[in-house]
Amino acid sequence: MKRRLAVVGGLAAVMMTVSSGHAWAGTDGIVKTADDNPGGLVAYQYRDAQLSACDFQVDGYNVRGSVTRYSDGKSYGWVNTSGDKIGSCAAKKLSIPAGTKLAVSACLEKSGKFYFCRGTTAVA
């Protein structure tokens, strides 16, 4: 009986260890602008807590990436590309509590107006 309890207890400890590592694992959020031109790409990388945006076309539009809390829209940060050359990128480290569900968005921006926005989700 003692041996059976030790085995069951050992298995429970292993299962808690394995599952606890996955319970707090974050997910990346990668999204492209919704236009049919090259547009741009925004990525939130949870391991580095970094938001980046890259522009694929010189057209006078910037690519703006933003991260908000999914539940209530609280902003955690945004980045804008310069829009002056192909491959222009911008990145920013963010401080977000682990396990927070996020909304990640990619838009083209010109003169303070946003176009071709698209979003996805991630977990910090």
Side-chain angles (χ1 to χ4, degrees), residues 18-86:
V18 170
S19 65
S20 68
H22 294 290
W24 293 105
T27 58
D28 293 338
I30 301 170
V31 62
K32 185 186 177 305
T33 56
D35 58 324
D36 59 1
N37 292 318
L41 184 77
V42 170
Y44 170 74
Q45 298 167 299
Y46 84 93
R47 289 182 195 268
D48 300 324
Q50 181 169 295
L51 176 65
S52 57
C54 292
D55 199 344
F56 301 145
Q57 185 177 20
V58 178
D59 56 4
Y61 290 84
N62 298 322
V63 176
R64 180 179 178 120
S66 63
V67 173
T68 58
R69 187 165 45 204
Y70 187 83
S71 63
D72 63 6
K74 176 189 175 186
S75 177
Y76 282 111
W78 54 269
V79 293
N80 263 7
T81 63
S82 62
D84 59 356
K85 65 181 179 176
I86 294 174

Side-chain angles (χ1 to χ4, degrees), residues 76-106:
Y76 282 111
W78 54 269
V79 293
N80 263 7
T81 63
S82 62
D84 59 356
K85 65 181 179 176
I86 294 174
S88 169
C89 294
K92 181 179 188 177
K93 293 269 189 182
L94 304 176
S95 179
I96 303 173
T100 303
K101 186 172 182 182
L102 305 169
V104 180
S105 67

Side-chain angles (χ1 to χ4, degrees), residues 1-9:
M1 184 68 170
K2 286 183 181 181
R3 183 173 180 196
R4 185 181 306 172
L5 288 175
V7 170
V8 170

